[in-house]
Amino acid sequence: MILWVNGAYGAGKTSVCRALQAKLHRSHLFDPEEVGDVIRRIRPVELWKDNFQDYPLWRSTTAALLQAAAEAYCGVILVPMTVVRGDYQRELLDPLRRAGISVCPVTLLASRETVLARLLGRGEQPDAWCIKQIDQCVERLSSEIEGYPIDTEGKRLSEVAEEIWKRFLSTEEKHV
């Protein structure tokens, strides 16, 4: 099973995945940003795009690596990754589903003000790339993206993780 935790940059995706990983008997944290970093490193700087998700190679490689991992691994694969374009999300998730892999997308939602406060709180500069993406993330995540919505406003990390655990993982853990 793949649990894809989506949300704005600073929404707490990786922290939630780590909290879930601590509760799971068998799990693996798969970070698609690492795939993007590799693709960037092998391309000439002049060919870099502002967002590595805009490389079709990133989307197809990420899907292929996730499929290979899911087919070989008997555990839950946790994927903390912001994806705000519905067409990109389909390119990532549809091949997995066609391969018979269970994919559960979850979307962490928060207001612009909350996301900004979290990003600044973790040390991001006001002109950081992730801060410039807030409006797009908040808008698209609530309208264009598939995923079980979880409102994170005023919730502690443990509460968000527990909600995901109860909804998707408590029964899955019995099968791993």
Side-chain angles (χ1 to χ4, degrees), residues 4 6 21 29 32-33 36 52 57 63 74 88 90 107 114 116 122 130 134 136 138 142 148 153 155-156 158 169 173:
W4 192 295
N6 202 348
Q21 193 170 31
L29 188 67
E33 283 191 26
F52 59 72
L57 180 61
C74 183
Y88 287 5
R90 288 185 294 280
T107 305
T114 296
L116 178 60
R122 76 177 193 194
C130 55
I134 292 175
Q136 169 185 238
V138 170
S142 62
Y148 179 78
E153 289 290 328
K155 291 182 183 173
R156 293 186 314 273
S158 60
L169 299 173
E173 180 70 358

Side-chain angles (χ1 to χ4, degrees), residues 6-8 83-84 107-109 136-143 145:
N6 202 348
V83 177
V84 297
T107 305
L108 306 182
L109 300 172
Q136 169 185 238
C137 287
V138 170
E139 178 186 331
R140 289 183 173 181
L141 286 167
S142 62
S143 63
I145 298 301

